[in-house]
Amino acid sequence: MRVLAYELRRLRGLRSTWLILAAVLLCDAAVAAVLAWRVPDGALAVPTAVRSVAAAVPLLPLPIAALGAGALGALSYGHEVRHPGLAASRVAFGRRVGLLVGKSVVIGAVSAALAVVTLLLDAVAVRLALPSSVDPAPAFRPDVFGSDPAGLLAAGAPGRPLLAFALLVVAGGWAGLLTTSLVRSAAAGLLVLCALPVLLEPAVGMILRQAGRYWPAWVRELLPFQYGLDWVRGEPGAAAVGPDPVLFAALAAPVLVLLVAAVLAQVRRRAL
């Protein structure tokens, strides 16, 4: 609990934390409004609404909120390297790992809150920016999910991609923290974080293709190369039904490698 309280105080006391959060919310809302303003006439499709609310820009390695969470994670570790606040954490391996775990918990919680606030703010921006010639009922109607609350996660509903967006934001915060723990530089950690999706999307896509599977439709709109790499991503209509163990294993492997590398790096060091 002391580590969590320390990390919360440190995170609140940094001006960069509030600047990043404000910049992410403003940029996300602006991008969401622009994407909504460019929606063609007719009924608003769920994939288009999800892409607008998530402010997913093609060729951007991660959504803006995920990049902001990654920046918070990178600065969390980078600031600790420059200005260590816990002297004991520079000696014992257990204390250093405990501090890393505490940072992960705090960054994960802040990233989750950032994802929720971003989705709410972007939904308002999209609703206000939609042209009058666009019918938002298919995506924004309260009863679009039916009477069953589980319908939010049904195929074709916006629940799955928005949940994937929230998980991606949390993963971005953790990845920024772990990559910076390896290179001990916030700037280098952010560069590695931006490079990971560019390398992982085609690699995971090829693994799925070899297994006769493709990226699920509810993940497709959040990928950086939304309109390219069709030879890896598969047909536009291809979608996985239910949990895909191949997809889970392909995505979990890099995460486990990064986590193990971060822990092993602490073993070989005498300082955080």
Side-chain angles (χ1 to χ4, degrees):
M1 295 302 295
R2 290 182 180 179
V3 173
L4 296 179
Y6 157 77
E7 180 60 20
L8 281 172
R9 288 196 302 270
R10 190 204 58 77
L11 195 64
R12 281 203 315 263
L14 291 178
R15 183 183 304 175
S16 59
T17 299
W18 304 106
L19 292 177
I20 290 174
L21 292 177
V24 167
L25 294 177
L26 290 176
C27 292
D28 245 301
V31 171
V34 171
L35 293 177
W37 180 71
R38 298 179 59 184
V39 172
D41 298 345
L44 179 62
V46 170
T48 304
V50 168
R51 188 164 57 248
S52 300
V53 171
V57 181
L59 301 183
L60 196 65
L62 289 169
I64 298 174
L67 288 176
L72 289 178
L75 291 176
S76 172
Y77 197 97
H79 185 266
E80 194 70 46
V81 172
R82 295 192 304 271
H83 310 287
L86 298 180
S89 68
R90 298 175 57 87
V91 179
F93 168 75
R95 291 182 180 272
R96 281 185 276 121
V97 173
L99 181 59
L100 188 60
V101 171
K103 288 181 177 293
S104 300
V105 172
V106 172
I107 291 298
V110 173
S111 300
L114 177 62
V116 172
V117 175
T118 297
L119 290 177
L120 294 176
L121 184 62
D122 288 359
V124 174
V126 168
R127 190 64 182 85
L128 295 176
L130 279 176
S132 58
S133 57
V134 176
D135 180 16
F140 285 93
R141 191 173 56 197
D143 60 343
V144 69
F145 309 123
S147 58
D148 182 10
L152 182 64
L153 299 178
R160 281 187 182 182
L162 294 183
L163 178 60
F165 170 80
L167 294 176
L168 186 60
V169 174
V170 175
W174 285 339
L177 175 65
L178 293 178
T179 53
T180 304
S181 73
L182 294 175
V183 297
R184 294 176 59 83
S185 168
L190 280 175
L191 290 177
V192 175
L193 173 64
C194 292
L196 285 178
V198 179
L199 299 175
L200 287 180
E201 181 184 345
V204 174
M206 285 188 291
I207 294 174
L208 293 176
R209 190 176 181 87
Q210 292 294 325
R213 294 172 170 83
Y214 303 100
W215 284 104
W218 50 276
V219 177
R220 188 179 302 274
E221 299 302 332
L222 301 177
L223 298 177
F225 301 107
Q226 296 173 20
Y227 306 109
L229 295 180
D230 291 334
W231 61 280
V232 167
R233 297 179 55 212
E235 298 298 328
V241 178
D244 191 338
V246 177
L247 175 63
F248 178 78
L251 293 176
V255 176
L256 292 177
V257 170
L258 184 61
L259 183 60
V260 171
V263 174
L264 290 179
Q266 296 300 324
V267 175
R268 298 177 58 87
R269 293 173 183 168
R270 293 183 176 274
L272 186 67

